[in-house]
Amino acid sequence: MPLTHVEEHLPGSVLAVLQADNTHNEAIIHSAIQNAHRKLVTFLYLGHATTSQAPRLFEFHDPYYDDHQARRTFGKAEHLAQQAKIARRYVYRLQEPEAVERIWRVVHPHDLVISPENTSLSEGINPDRIRYEVTPDGNVAHFLKSW
């Protein structure tokens, strides 16, 4: 599964925000895929991986490689996205203030799918409307925006 390191301008797409230790990740994945309507889905994982060894001289080390939970979550998303035959991208970022807002401003998605408990991560986002969805796997929030 290719991991995208640079966000792209993808207007009209779906941005699914996944997090470490979030029990609603599966609900977010399912909802993003079901609401894609043949549009591209960007799965953004906010992790907090720590490297287990010091980098060597001239070595490039992505924190994603040390985040086993992120790799499992992206694997689940990839499996479901392949079954649904939708276009998708994967972005891994360390969890930090305004990370979701920065990526949202670059991607310009129509729908940002996030856990209702984590809407504080999106304080700088100004959607046109917010829709809450009840799924068998848990609740999710949709921040809808027409650019």
Side-chain angles (χ1 to χ4, degrees):
M1 155 183 53
L3 194 65
T4 306
H5 295 283
V6 179
E7 301 84 29
E8 296 179 52
H9 183 70
L10 302 164
S13 63
V14 176
L15 178 61
V17 180
L18 307 168
Q19 274 189 291
D21 303 321
N22 188 339
T23 58
H24 292 96
N25 281 345
E26 196 161 328
I28 293 167
I29 293 168
H30 283 285
S31 182
I33 289 171
Q34 290 173 353
N35 289 289
H37 306 295
R38 303 209 182 264
K39 304 263 182 174
L40 183 124
V41 176
T42 299
F43 293 100
L44 166 64
Y45 190 94
L46 300 174
H48 45 74
T50 56
T51 183
S52 57
Q53 62 185 25
R56 293 186 216 128
L57 188 61
F58 302 114
E59 178 182 39
F60 175 78
H61 186 78
D62 192 331
Y64 169 74
Y65 299 130
D66 296 323
D67 196 333
H68 300 290
Q69 188 177 7
R71 294 189 343 218
R72 277 193 307 273
T73 303
F74 276 162
K76 177 77 170 176
E78 176 66 13
H79 175 73
L80 294 171
Q82 279 181 0
Q83 287 180 335
K85 295 182 172 89
I86 63 163
R88 63 254 178 218
R89 299 265 194 282
Y90 298 92
V91 177
Y92 180 87
R93 290 288 178 266
L94 292 176
Q95 188 165 342
E96 58 187 21
E98 301 174 1
V100 175
E101 179 185 352
R102 280 195 311 272
I103 292 173
W104 180 78
R105 291 192 185 284
V106 172
V107 175
H108 279 95
H110 170 68
D111 187 0
L112 179 131
V113 186
I114 193 167
S115 171
E117 294 83 24
N118 295 318
T119 55
S120 63
L121 294 172
S122 55
E123 288 178 353
I125 294 175
N126 185 18
D128 294 334
R129 67 185 181 122
I130 300 173
R131 178 176 65 91
Y132 292 95
E133 178 183 6
V134 178
T135 72
D137 300 313
N139 299 336
V140 295
H142 295 265
F143 287 35
L144 304 168
K145 178 78 172 177
S146 295
W147 298 86

